[in-house]
Amino acid sequence: MRVLVVEDEKRLAQALQRGLQAEGFAVDVAHDGNQGLWLAIERDYDVIVLDIMLPGLNGYRVCARLRAAGNETPILMLTAKDGEYDEAEALDTGADDYLSKPFSYVVLVARLRALHRRTGRRLPQTLAVGDLAIDPARRTCTRGGAEVRLTAREFAVLEYLARRAGEVVPKREILDQVWDSAFEADLNLVEVHVSAVRRKIDTAFGRSALETVRGAGYRLAADGG
Ligand code: CA
């Protein structure tokens, strides 16, 4: 199950990301409304956890714009009990459920699972690029059926490239997507991880699917061998 968490309180967002990953979910985090809206449109999620008070674009507006754009991804909105915003308004803008802060983590996970079941949305579980298969929910990767072992960060880099298969993806974009924004941004990190991924998915199999496009970035393409 793929989850997008849109939450500007970084410690809460990080705690949610780690906790939900431990449940086996694939989790992306956005720290403001615009980034959240962009991710929600660009990528497929099974459910979105959306805070209301966000910099840039608040949660109501993110939700309303997604619905106006025809995006029906289930949304669980985080509301503040003592705030000026209320639950009725959350539901009015197109949210499917809401939870008041502070919330119990166990309750959040249960509500996300229920929301996912109720909406019954089923996305392809596996990303396939040629005979390279990537399963974001299980965090597994195979090449021609043979298991490829990747670190969590390598997996995230590969998953991102696979979602954009065939396109040139700039290093900066990979850095922004895969590394926490609080992390010391260093493009060398991307190079090191891409090299490691390439050794594991290509070199080890005599393939060349992960291409370096000089001055532009990287491109992952189907390589039948
Ligand atoms: Ca907030």
Side-chain angles (χ1 to χ4, degrees):
M1 181 159 127
R2 298 193 52 81
V3 182
L4 172 64
V5 173
V6 189
E7 169 59 77
D8 59 313
E9 291 164 50
K10 292 201 173 153
R11 286 175 66 184
L12 176 57
Q14 196 173 38
L16 284 175
Q17 184 172 34
R18 290 198 179 134
L20 295 172
Q21 280 172 345
E23 300 285 333
F25 302 163
V27 185
D28 288 336
V29 171
H31 291 127
D32 65 65
N34 288 307
Q35 191 195 9
L37 179 64
W38 185 86
L39 278 172
I41 288 170
E42 283 294 309
R43 303 177 71 173
D44 275 326
Y45 296 98
D46 296 296
V47 59
I48 298 170
V49 178
L50 181 61
D51 188 32
I52 290 177
M53 296 292 283
L54 291 167
L57 202 63
N58 74 37
Y60 291 136
R61 296 181 63 190
V62 172
C63 187
R65 286 202 194 176
L66 278 174
R67 296 307 187 232
N71 184 307
E72 297 296 330
T73 307
I75 293 175
L76 185 147
M77 219 174 244
L78 299 178
T79 62
K81 236 176 194 155
D82 56 348
E84 55 195 292
Y85 300 100
D86 68 14
E87 287 81 11
E89 198 168 352
L91 298 178
D92 277 350
T93 61
D96 299 272
D97 199 359
Y98 61 85
L99 202 54
S100 300
K101 286 180 176 180
F103 52 82
S104 145
Y105 178 73
V106 175
V107 170
L108 173 70
V109 171
R111 299 278 279 275
L112 289 180
R113 288 193 195 282
L115 200 52
H116 186 224
R117 269 199 308 274
R118 198 162 79 218
T119 52
R121 229 165 141 261
R122 286 287 172 272
L123 293 167
Q125 291 201 322
T126 310
L127 295 165
V129 183
D131 65 353
L132 187 68
I134 296 144
D135 184 334
R138 292 196 181 82
R139 301 254 144 195
T140 57
C141 172
T142 57
R143 167 70 95 186
E147 188 188 355
V148 178
R149 290 179 178 277
L150 299 164
T151 66
R153 203 72 87 170
E154 288 164 3
F155 189 93
V157 169
L158 178 61
E159 183 193 341
Y160 191 71
L161 288 168
R163 287 187 181 280
R164 303 279 305 273
E167 296 174 39
V168 178
V169 184
K171 284 179 196 174
R172 167 61 58 185
E173 188 178 323
I174 299 172
L175 188 67
D176 291 344
Q177 291 296 326
V178 173
W179 276 268
D180 191 290
S181 56
F183 204 87
E184 187 67 35
D186 183 352
L187 291 173
N188 287 330
L189 277 172
V190 177
E191 293 167 17
V192 167
H193 283 76
V194 166
S195 295
V197 169
R198 183 182 281 132
R199 275 198 304 279
K200 294 177 179 182
I201 65 161
D202 278 347
T203 314
F205 295 88
R207 304 292 186 84
S208 50
L210 210 176
E211 181 192 354
T212 299
V213 182
R214 294 227 173 273
Y218 301 101
R219 175 166 49 210
L220 181 67
D223 178 359

